[in-house]
Amino acid sequence: MEALPAHQIPSYIDSAHLGPWGVWLEQIDRVTPHLGKLARWVETLKRPKRILIVDVPIERDDGSIAHFEGYRVQHNTSRGPGKGGVRFHQDVSLSEVMALSAWMTVKNAAVNVPYGGAKGGIRVDPRTLSPGELQRMTRRYTSEINIIIGPNKDIPAPDVNTNEQIMAWMMDTYSMNQGSTTSGVVTGKPISLGGSLGRRDATGRGVYVVGCEAAARIGMDVSGARIAVQGFGNVGGVAARLFTEAGATVVAVQDHSGTVFKESGIDVPTLLAHVAEHGGVAGFAGAEIMADGSQFWSVDCDILIPAALEQQINEKNANSIRARIILEGANGPTTPAADDVLHQRNVLVVPDVVANAGGVTVSYFEWVQDFSSFFWTEEEINLRLTRIMKEAFAGVWLLAQERKVSLRTAAFIVGCTRVLQAREMRGLYP
Ligand code: GLU
């Protein structure tokens, strides 16, 4: 990637190793010419509003003390409170959390939920912690970021390696500090604590809904489609299940533990049960094991769903991809260089900020339900989710046709326009 002018890179980011933040900057540079007069405000998007880095010390079960790096970044709050997940992963870094928070800004605007963008994380492999250590780390982290979160300020949610239990501990810790139970401070909670029906499956369901829309636009029959999925957690696993229920065939699955392949189709419920028991696809007896994981990218399939981490589809593998549609279940899975290759090769990339927006959409429903203490049926939630996803996709599709740009650029035009319009209307303080 070409070096960017120094003024665009704050000194707290290593300009020689921009990481995911570099991807974001390049995406913003690509959308800027399409923003008209609002381009005047675009530098706003290249600087997160607020960054909190915290030390998270815990006492290990063996009596030793361990310290972890914790982050919460509020990228933009022009349209409403910060909103976005919390990730526990050994590769979490400032650059990553900044980029993830920025993608939340565009995502929330693209599906028009009244939020800004935020994200948090702890640099830790949670598999190395006991349940007690995990709880102590989560609670200390929540207490440290307590000063900037809140139901009207910034609302965390699950992301990679965080779940309903973690959200319950976060809600409880915040509430203890506050002196009263505050369920709206996080979403993705257990149903018994003000969680929403349908939230657990929402991201995967949104990926599926948008995938069906994209397939219909290019005349692909989902019921006959061959699918490859990277990441078999709450996003990839649910999307795979819904696509197979619609008649599609999942031929390959890759996760942190390995890659499995079966030409005639993997039995998804059996693989889901295996992953629930063993923590990954490795050792699954119902398919061939692919020893060379890089071969996953050239599997013969119609729809490829990256649903794991960033920058997985890059210059190295973009040319070998055989799918006609890429559905970005993950955040930031495709680099700008790969975007160019795929665009040239006529591969339809449905960008993260639309494809995986189902999760935050139902988070919004959860937050609204918490405020009103009135809970909706699962049917109502899925109907509303489906409607929002279809409308967002249709708007982005139309704009992409009109402006002759990729779906990513179109989604960024929609999202950034909404954010910068709000920015301009509010004006600069003081
Ligand atoms: N972590 C999810 C995302 O990346 C959900 C965020 C939320 O529900 O706030 O979109």
Side-chain angles (χ1 to χ4, degrees):
M1 193 179 304
E2 258 177 41
L4 291 155
H7 73 276
Q8 294 175 346
I9 301 163
S11 65
Y12 49 80
I13 274 284
D14 178 356
S15 54
H17 302 99
L18 287 170
W21 185 248
V23 172
W24 163 258
L25 290 179
E26 181 130 9
Q27 290 170 343
I28 288 303
D29 284 344
R30 288 174 176 212
V31 71
T32 302
H34 301 278
L35 295 176
K37 286 187 177 155
L38 288 171
R40 175 173 172 245
W41 293 96
V42 89
E43 184 77 15
T44 285
L45 300 171
K46 296 181 176 179
R47 292 173 183 268
K49 175 188 174 64
R50 187 177 286 137
I51 294 173
L52 183 60
I53 304 179
V54 295
D55 174 38
V56 185
I58 62 160
E59 188 170 341
R60 304 283 312 239
D61 293 345
D62 66 5
S64 64
I65 309 293
H67 291 258
F68 301 100
E69 246 171 73
Y71 299 93
R72 186 72 188 171
V73 177
Q74 295 169 352
H75 175 259
N76 189 284
T77 56
S78 292
R79 302 178 66 255
K83 182 90 191 80
V86 171
R87 170 174 301 197
F88 292 172
H89 194 276
Q90 58 277 18
D91 296 332
V92 161
S93 66
L94 178 59
S95 161
E96 184 189 47
V97 183
M98 281 167 61
L100 291 166
S101 71
W103 287 319
M104 288 310 301
T105 299
V106 177
K107 186 187 306 183
N108 293 335
V111 289
N112 214 0
V113 290
Y115 294 129
K119 202 84 174 200
I122 304 181
R123 189 174 172 91
V124 61
D125 177 357
R127 291 179 188 86
T128 62
L129 302 179
S130 72
E133 291 168 341
L134 184 64
Q135 178 170 175
R136 292 197 289 282
M137 183 189 71
T138 302
R139 287 185 180 279
R140 181 61 188 253
Y141 167 73
T142 308
S143 221
E144 293 295 339
I145 65 165
N146 178 64
I147 48 173
I148 62 165
I149 63 170
N152 293 309
K153 289 162 93 176
D154 179 4
I155 307 109
D159 196 74
V160 174
N161 292 335
T162 54
N163 56 24
E164 292 172 13
Q165 175 62 78
I166 305 276
M167 294 307 115
W169 290 329
M170 289 187 74
M171 185 277 249
D172 182 69
T173 305
Y174 181 86
S175 298
M176 290 295 122
N177 279 320
Q178 216 59 22
S180 58
T181 295
T182 313
S183 53
V185 66
V186 292
T187 57
K189 298 180 297 294
I191 304 292
S192 57
L193 297 178
S196 177
L197 294 167
R199 175 62 186 84
R200 195 183 294 170
D201 285 1
T203 313
R205 183 174 295 278
V207 168
Y208 166 72
V209 168
V210 164
C212 292
E213 294 297 295
R217 296 295 199 290
I218 64 162
M220 181 194 288
D221 178 9
V222 164
S223 71
R226 292 159 58 86
I227 300 194
V229 191
Q230 189 199 39
F232 211 59
N234 192 43
V235 182
V238 172
R241 194 191 83 221
L242 294 173
F243 273 111
T244 44
E245 282 170 10
T249 307
V250 172
V251 291
V253 176
Q254 177 170 80
D255 72 2
H256 62 95
S257 71
T259 309
V260 292
F261 173 81
K262 191 174 180 187
E263 179 64 35
S264 60
I266 293 167
D267 187 65
V268 169
T270 316
L271 183 58
L272 284 167
H274 175 90
V275 170
E277 198 186 329
H278 303 280
V281 301
F284 181 59
E288 283 171 45
I289 305 290
M290 233 185 214
D292 176 7
S294 67
Q295 281 180 11
F296 168 80
W297 300 107
S298 48
V299 162
D300 183 16
C301 63
D302 302 299
I303 302 178
L304 174 64
I305 309 179
L309 299 171
E310 305 87 49
Q311 299 179 341
Q312 296 297 300
I313 302 178
N314 47 49
E315 276 165 297
K316 286 190 213 116
N317 55 24
N319 261 309
S320 53
I321 286 171
R322 290 157 82 178
R324 289 167 65 202
I325 298 177
I326 295 179
L327 281 177
E328 294 188 335
N331 291 308
T334 311
T335 65
D339 262 341
D340 289 344
V341 173
L342 296 164
H343 193 71
Q344 253 175 11
R345 295 186 53 223
N346 214 10
V347 179
L348 186 64
V349 180
V350 186
D352 47 7
V353 293
V354 175
N356 72 32
V360 74
T361 300
V362 177
S363 276
Y364 166 58
F365 298 161
E366 178 173 336
W367 183 73
V368 168
Q369 292 171 83
D370 287 339
F371 273 120
S372 57
S373 300
F374 177 77
F375 292 87
W376 314 348
T377 63
E378 187 156 7
E379 195 186 12
E380 206 171 346
I381 284 157
N382 288 343
L383 272 173
R384 285 180 193 254
L385 168 65
T386 303
R387 195 193 308 146
I388 289 179
M389 296 304 291
K390 283 186 177 177
E391 277 175 12
F393 180 83
V396 165
W397 179 270
L398 200 70
L399 190 67
Q401 306 282 306
E402 278 171 18
R403 303 269 188 109
K404 299 193 175 18
V405 294
S406 67
L407 291 180
R408 188 181 318 280
T409 298
F412 269 64
I413 295 174
V414 172
C416 294
T417 299
R418 286 189 178 136
V419 173
L420 297 181
Q421 265 168 355
R423 186 81 192 80
E424 183 169 66
M425 290 302 290
R426 288 178 66 160
L428 268 183
Y429 173 86

